[in-house]
Amino acid sequence: MPNRKIFYFSILGVAFRDAELFKSYVRVLNFNLQYQWLHREISPDLIIYGEETGASISKNEAPVSHTLTLTESNTGNEQCLSLPLNSVEIATALNRIGMALGGQTNAHKAPQMPLSDLAQPYRLKRWPPSNLINTRDRIRLATVMTRQAISIETLNKKSGLDIETCKSFVFDLYTSGLLAKESIVTKMESSDQSAAPAYVQPGVLSRIRSKLSRIMGNE
């Protein structure tokens, strides 16, 4: 995704191995994240704390508004990342924080899509990254969408999943730049053409008639 907003993170009080692993994950994930994240110790947008360091710092004392704490006992807290590190969890957290930072700075805004138009067909440009297909239902939806341009209402019927799940998935794909709108007229014309009878080459019918007439004449 070109022209992405860049944000910076620093790491404080984290074991060397976990710190280097986190940086490696971010470098790989950057290709598919909504925003680009770079490591920088000075004036970061996000600080990654070790569990003991993070526990000793209150929100009021934190030098930035966004922090994440690496912990082995994460109970679903958005401000924490589980150890051992997980790429899906990291991507989800960075996209969430990047979106919040982007809103505060009037940075890159996700493209809007009219989810009320359930008949609008969308074409999947490529297979989604792991952070967007992190459930069995989402893998199923992505598989259905690879076959042809498809609308939300058709995706709902073909997948058997509820409409809200389909809408949420399509919205995430669209805002990540992975969907292209298809003209409804073009899709209908394509369907009509596929249903049309095969084209008969000129002269074929006349040759058939000529051959039949010779056969009939010999009888």
Side-chain angles (χ1 to χ4, degrees):
M1 287 174 281
N3 302 320
R4 289 180 302 166
K5 179 74 175 179
I6 297 175
F7 294 116
Y8 298 93
F9 70 92
S10 68
I11 300 177
L12 182 64
V14 175
F16 177 79
R17 180 181 177 279
D18 289 330
E20 292 304 304
L21 185 58
F22 184 87
K23 293 176 191 176
S24 298
Y25 268 125
V26 175
R27 282 194 293 269
V28 173
L29 291 170
N30 258 332
F31 291 100
N32 293 312
L33 293 174
Q34 295 176 12
Y35 298 88
Q36 188 173 6
W37 286 89
L38 302 176
H39 178 256
R40 185 175 74 180
E41 294 298 336
I42 301 173
S43 302
D45 300 291
L46 165 68
I47 295 180
I48 310 298
Y49 287 113
E51 187 163 17
E52 291 184 6
T53 308
S56 66
I57 295 179
S58 69
K59 279 191 173 182
N60 295 330
E61 296 172 332
V64 295
S65 58
H66 294 280
T67 63
L68 288 172
T69 301
L70 304 189
T71 174
E72 295 182 355
S73 56
N74 187 11
T75 57
N77 187 342
E78 280 192 342
Q79 306 307 315
C80 297
L81 287 176
S82 301
L83 289 173
L85 291 169
N86 178 289
S87 62
V88 173
E89 190 176 349
I90 293 172
T92 301
L94 292 180
N95 279 337
R96 173 179 55 80
I97 294 172
M99 186 68 71
L101 288 167
Q104 291 173 5
T105 59
N106 293 321
H108 166 80
K109 292 184 179 179
Q112 298 298 309
M113 66 175 296
L115 285 179
S116 57
D117 187 0
L118 302 182
Q120 168 65 53
Y122 295 94
R123 175 176 53 81
L124 187 61
K125 296 179 182 178
R126 60 182 176 83
W127 186 253
S130 59
N131 62 296
L132 292 180
I133 50 171
N134 50 8
T135 66
R136 188 171 297 177
D137 285 348
R138 287 194 157 214
I139 293 175
R140 183 175 183 177
L141 291 171
T143 302
V144 174
M145 294 187 74
T146 58
R147 297 167 187 163
Q148 64 184 75
I150 195 169
S151 66
I152 295 174
E153 61 182 3
T154 304
L155 183 62
N156 166 237
K157 294 174 184 176
K158 290 195 172 185
S159 68
L161 298 172
D162 65 89
I163 195 71
E164 291 304 321
T165 298
C166 296
K167 287 169 68 174
S168 174
F169 182 59
V170 170
F171 178 79
D172 287 348
L173 291 178
Y174 192 82
T175 55
S176 298
L178 296 176
L179 290 185
K181 276 188 178 183
E182 292 248 328
S183 167
I184 296 178
V185 174
T186 302
K187 191 171 184 294
M188 290 175 64
E189 288 176 349
S190 175
S191 299
D192 291 342
Q193 289 173 3
S194 63
Y199 174 67
V200 180
Q201 189 176 9
V204 172
L205 292 178
S206 61
R207 289 198 296 273
I208 292 174
R209 292 195 196 97
S210 176
K211 190 170 183 179
L212 286 174
S213 63
R214 288 199 301 271
I215 293 173
M216 297 295 291
N218 292 333
E219 290 182 351

